[in-house]
Amino acid sequence: MLIIAVFVSGMTTLAIELTASRLLGNVFGTSNLVWANVIGLMLLYLTVGYFVGGWLADRFPTRIAFFRIIAWGAFFGGLVPFVARPVLSGAAGAVIGFQAGAALGSFVAVLCLFALPITLLGCVSPFAIRLAVSDPASAGKISGRMYAISTLGSLLGTFLPTLWLIPEAGTTRTFVIFAGVALSVALIGLIRQGKAGRRAAVWLIWQPLVLIALTLTAPGGALRPPPEGRSLLWEKDSAYNYIQVTELKTGLGRIIDGQWVELWKPGTRELYLNEGQGVHSVYHPDGGFYGGTWDMFLAAPFVNTPPFRSDQVKSLAVIGLAAGTISTQYTAVFGVDVNIDGIEIDPDIVEAGRRYFGMNQPNLKVIIEDGRLGLRLTSGMYDVVAIDAYRVPYVPWHLTTVEFFREVRERLSPQGMAVINVGRTANARTGLQDRRLVEAMTHTMQQVFPTVHTLDVPDSFNTILIGTLNPTTPANLAANLALLPPDADPLLRRALEAASRAFVPSSASTVLFTDDRAPVETIINSMLIDYLLQ
């Protein structure tokens, strides 16, 4: 029973840690800052647990005390999602409204909820060693065995929730399942300790009953309600993301050239991931111009030397397909003869795209894979390689390096180009922009492409960088816009008009991203902290 208890405790500890990241990721995202805080505090709680466990083992060296500790640790672990829910629900509104103080306070409060379960479960290994050692000569062998068993349990606690339980059962039930397993081991262990142990088990039998009752009666629904003016169509905890699909109840628009223009019609669907700070895909059955990053990707081929015609676009690769807005727009404008390879790491996002975003074009081949590896697995040459693989606010570092862009260049046709979505921020008081990431990416792309263009997407924190194989100028796009035939697709015309207004002078820093050194997260973390402090 000691061996089983140590194994299950190690498994439950790691499962709680990994599931905690999903619980927090629904509201605060999965940035490096979030991960660092989760891992750091869990290690702190375990450190306290090791000290406390050793002290308790010497003071109360009984198996009844040992199994009681496991029972309470498991029970508190199972309570976490139910206690955290109202705190996180309030935090969701603070994050959406950029209320940094409230969001940070909620984040710290939720992390503190893990102090009791992780500290108590941290007591298990030193306590078990104390109970198992009867001969000092075997202390080393026994302690090594116990820590090996605990680590073996941690391996199962690493893979089981992320690869199976969270996608299938959800975050809350994953907490309860692991807590239930640990509680069962604790109660069985108590029952095996004679009359006193059975009496202790009876006093604790209410714990699994409370968790079961909470699981059956806790309010359901989305942890993060959809943004105002939207209804929730679908949500899911996948192996990679918390996914929400929403639908607009009323239209959205903005003033363009002095006139109010409705860009998103009622019934437009949006894809939100994790903390919901960015719309990753948008779709309306009637199609149309969305006034966002996707339209800039559509316009990118027309920076080629004029005259450039729509029928010259033959192929496209999308790294970060999401629910297929880019591929849908390309098919609508350039026709089904355009061969599109869409690379997306999350199969559940692909499912959402097919169910709710019309991502069923016959010319689209979906590749479920990480972006860089997925590009290597393709065999075609492309006129455009579009890179839109955000985990807001982060661009995966391996999609930002000189070596990566060289791989992209090798897959481009003679008129080909790489187009990537990059983030920036702005000071709300002064209006000054923080373009460190944009400028570093520009410098990196300039090592591979003769020309790098910069387009700032209006009313957003997004900048589109276009690297072309041949020397090009922004005037090319304006010239190609003027050469569009009268019967050109209205979506294409509006996309070119928007892109022609979005050009800004390209500026490069001295920072270079390579496979050996790519401080992407360092730059983004600094930008993010500065923005939140403002």
Side-chain angles (χ1 to χ4, degrees), residues 278-440:
V279 178
H280 292 257
S281 291
V282 62
Y283 171 76
H284 192 280
D286 296 339
F289 172 78
Y290 298 118
T293 58
W294 312 279
D295 309 306
M296 303 299 167
F297 282 101
L298 184 62
F302 289 85
V303 300
N304 274 305
T305 303
F308 186 85
R309 305 182 312 276
S310 297
D311 59 7
Q312 291 177 255
V313 180
K314 301 294 185 183
S315 56
L316 165 73
V318 184
I319 298 176
L321 178 65
T325 303
I326 295 173
S327 61
T328 299
Q329 287 191 324
Y330 263 75
T331 302
V333 169
F334 303 118
V336 294
D337 292 334
V338 176
N339 294 315
I340 303 176
D341 287 338
I343 303 169
E344 173 56 52
I345 196 171
D346 193 334
D348 289 303
I349 291 179
V350 173
E351 178 190 352
R354 288 171 172 160
R355 290 177 59 180
Y356 298 99
F357 291 81
M359 199 181 74
N360 300 296
Q361 297 82 22
N363 55 316
L364 171 63
K365 176 185 176 183
V366 177
I367 300 168
I368 307 295
E369 190 52 82
D370 185 80
R372 190 164 172 178
L373 176 58
L375 182 65
R376 292 172 184 164
L377 295 176
T378 62
S379 57
M381 301 294 287
Y382 303 103
D383 296 319
V384 178
V385 174
I387 304 145
D388 192 20
Y390 263 108
R391 288 180 69 91
V392 175
Y394 293 86
V395 180
W397 72 268
H398 61 287
L399 301 181
T400 68
T401 67
V402 171
E403 292 84 354
F404 167 68
F405 286 113
R406 286 173 182 159
E407 292 180 31
V408 171
R409 183 184 61 189
E410 293 172 1
R411 309 303 299 277
L412 292 176
S413 67
Q415 63 183 11
M417 60 188 59
V419 190
I420 185 168
N421 184 12
V422 185
R424 67 183 193 277
T425 62
N427 189 307
R429 293 190 299 272
T430 66
L432 296 176
Q433 295 192 2
D434 190 336
R435 306 181 68 88
R436 280 176 285 176
L437 181 61
V438 173
E439 292 172 352

Side-chain angles (χ1 to χ4, degrees), residues 113-414:
L113 293 177
F114 295 95
L116 274 175
I118 299 300
T119 299
L120 289 171
L121 291 173
C123 296
V124 172
S125 291
F127 209 125
I129 292 170
R130 173 66 175 83
L131 295 176
V133 171
S134 56
D135 181 3
S138 62
K141 179 175 68 176
I142 291 174
S143 62
R145 181 186 304 158
M146 288 298 180
Y147 278 109
I149 291 167
S150 176
T151 303
L152 192 62
S154 298
L155 285 174
L156 189 60
T158 299
F159 294 110
L160 196 58
T162 54
L163 300 182
W164 181 48
L165 275 176
I166 292 175
E168 295 300 323
T171 303
T172 298
R173 290 188 177 181
T174 299
F175 273 105
V176 174
I177 288 170
F178 280 101
V181 171
L183 260 175
S184 299
V185 169
L187 294 176
I188 292 171
L190 286 171
I191 291 171
R192 291 166 59 92
Q193 304 310 310
K195 186 176 180 180
R198 289 192 292 272
R199 187 164 53 247
V202 169
W203 278 104
L204 295 177
I205 197 65
W206 58 272
Q207 291 182 339
L209 298 178
V210 167
L211 294 181
I212 292 171
L214 287 173
T215 304
L216 296 176
T217 62
L223 175 65
R224 185 187 69 241
E228 185 178 354
R230 296 158 173 84
S231 56
L232 182 65
L233 297 182
W234 188 71
E235 68 174 345
K236 184 172 184 180
D237 258 326
S238 76
Y240 297 93
N241 299 284
Y242 171 58
I243 305 168
Q244 283 187 317
V245 177
T246 66
E247 185 173 271
L248 279 174
K249 299 176 182 177
T250 58
L252 292 177
R254 66 169 179 263
I255 295 176
I256 299 178
D257 293 335
Q259 293 184 338
W260 174 259
V261 178
E262 183 182 63
L263 297 175
W264 295 10
K265 306 172 186 176
T268 297
R269 294 170 180 175
E270 303 163 308
L271 175 70
Y272 290 93
L273 301 179
N274 303 314
E275 78 295 329
Q277 276 298 319
V279 178
H280 292 257
S281 291
V282 62
Y283 171 76
H284 192 280
D286 296 339
F289 172 78
Y290 298 118
T293 58
W294 312 279
D295 309 306
M296 303 299 167
F297 282 101
L298 184 62
F302 289 85
V303 300
N304 274 305
T305 303
F308 186 85
R309 305 182 312 276
S310 297
D311 59 7
Q312 291 177 255
V313 180
K314 301 294 185 183
S315 56
L316 165 73
V318 184
I319 298 176
L321 178 65
T325 303
I326 295 173
S327 61
T328 299
Q329 287 191 324
Y330 263 75
T331 302
V333 169
F334 303 118
V336 294
D337 292 334
V338 176
N339 294 315
I340 303 176
D341 287 338
I343 303 169
E344 173 56 52
I345 196 171
D346 193 334
D348 289 303
I349 291 179
V350 173
E351 178 190 352
R354 288 171 172 160
R355 290 177 59 180
Y356 298 99
F357 291 81
M359 199 181 74
N360 300 296
Q361 297 82 22
N363 55 316
L364 171 63
K365 176 185 176 183
V366 177
I367 300 168
I368 307 295
E369 190 52 82
D370 185 80
R372 190 164 172 178
L373 176 58
L375 182 65
R376 292 172 184 164
L377 295 176
T378 62
S379 57
M381 301 294 287
Y382 303 103
D383 296 319
V384 178
V385 174
I387 304 145
D388 192 20
Y390 263 108
R391 288 180 69 91
V392 175
Y394 293 86
V395 180
W397 72 268
H398 61 287
L399 301 181
T400 68
T401 67
V402 171
E403 292 84 354
F404 167 68
F405 286 113
R406 286 173 182 159
E407 292 180 31
V408 171
R409 183 184 61 189
E410 293 172 1
R411 309 303 299 277
L412 292 176
S413 67

Side-chain angles (χ1 to χ4, degrees), residues 40-128:
L41 283 178
M42 295 297 179
L43 290 174
L44 175 63
Y45 301 151
L46 284 173
T47 301
V48 175
Y50 296 149
F51 276 105
V52 173
W55 178 80
L56 289 174
D58 288 337
R59 189 173 179 86
F60 308 102
T62 68
R63 294 185 179 228
I64 291 177
F66 173 74
F67 287 113
R68 276 177 170 166
I69 289 173
I70 296 175
W72 282 104
F75 176 68
F76 285 127
L79 282 182
V80 164
F82 304 107
V83 179
R85 187 180 182 89
V87 179
L88 289 173
S89 296
V95 170
I96 292 173
F98 294 106
Q99 300 169 23
L104 180 60
S106 302
F107 180 72
V108 172
V110 173
L111 280 177
C112 289
L113 293 177
F114 295 95
L116 274 175
I118 299 300
T119 299
L120 289 171
L121 291 173
C123 296
V124 172
S125 291
F127 209 125

Side-chain angles (χ1 to χ4, degrees), residues 8-29:
V8 169
S9 296
M11 177 185 71
T12 304
T13 300
L14 256 292
I16 288 176
E17 179 176 338
L18 288 170
T19 312
S21 70
R22 295 305 300 271
L23 185 71
L24 292 165
N26 294 345
V27 174
F28 300 103

